Amino acid sequence: MISAQLMSAVIMLASGIFVGCVIDSTRAIWSGLPRRQWIQQCTVVLELMVWIVLGFCTFYFLYVTKGGQWRAVDPLFQLAGIFLYDKLLRRFFRFIGRLFVLLFIRPIYWIVYIISRFFLIFWRVVRSIVLFVLTPVTKLYKVALGTRFKK
């Protein structure tokens, strides 16, 4: 009985460390994005959604590991895990988060940006060529339309 409670406390402590890591990592990732990005403008809503998903995951984890038994000390151990992460492991995981942003997120962002700019420039060139080719036709059409309404 006591070993099960101790295991439950350790599991909830680890769950708190995981929750702290996920929240801190998402904040680090979002702070690494450019300010104009639409994700940066919606950080409060996205963080709230992450908290809700983590809450559901925690309760599902409790259901799987303890058969749905919930004790009042479980959230306390999870909060202790969050505080433990904040005081001891935060710098290391922030470094990993920044490294992740620099090595993966920013290159993907720039690749998508360059591809979208390429298609935008391609669209403008094609549009300009089509308008240039159709300019005589549109001028003739306007002249013909103008003479028709004058009569």
Side-chain angles (χ1 to χ4, degrees):
M1 184 74 172
I2 291 181
S3 65
Q5 290 178 357
L6 181 63
M7 187 56 98
S8 171
V10 169
I11 288 172
M12 289 309 292
L13 192 69
S15 171
I17 291 172
F18 176 73
V19 166
C21 177
V22 168
I23 291 297
D24 197 40
S25 297
T26 54
R27 287 178 184 171
I29 288 170
W30 290 332
S31 67
L33 293 175
R35 297 284 179 213
R36 295 176 295 161
Q37 191 73 13
W38 66 271
I39 295 174
Q40 186 72 24
Q41 298 169 355
C42 303
T43 55
V44 174
V45 174
L46 291 173
E47 187 173 339
L48 183 63
M49 288 172 33
V50 168
W51 275 105
I52 290 170
V53 167
L54 286 172
F56 281 126
C57 289
T58 298
F59 283 114
Y60 178 73
F61 189 64
L62 273 172
Y63 181 75
V64 168
T65 58
K66 295 172 51 174
Q69 294 177 354
W70 183 82
R71 293 189 172 87
V73 295
D74 290 337
L76 294 177
F77 276 108
Q78 191 170 25
L79 283 174
I82 292 171
F83 289 132
L84 179 70
Y85 167 80
D86 190 43
K87 296 300 177 191
L88 296 179
L89 302 171
R90 184 177 184 188
R91 282 188 176 175
F92 174 72
F93 280 105
R94 281 244 172 143
F95 172 74
I96 297 298
R98 287 186 188 123
L99 196 64
F100 180 75
V101 167
L102 288 174
L103 293 178
F104 296 107
I105 301 295
R106 287 229 173 148
I108 291 171
Y109 171 77
W110 283 109
I111 288 170
V112 169
Y113 177 76
I114 289 169
I115 290 172
S116 67
R117 294 301 287 180
F118 172 75
F119 281 119
L120 182 65
I121 291 170
F122 180 75
W123 167 252
R124 287 180 181 169
V125 167
V126 168
R127 185 174 155 243
S128 297
I129 291 171
V130 168
L131 288 177
F132 179 74
V133 168
L134 292 178
T135 301
V137 174
T138 56
K139 288 194 180 211
L140 286 174
Y141 181 73
K142 285 181 183 177
V143 169
L145 204 69
T147 58
R148 183 174 179 192
F149 284 123
K150 286 183 182 177
K151 292 182 181 178

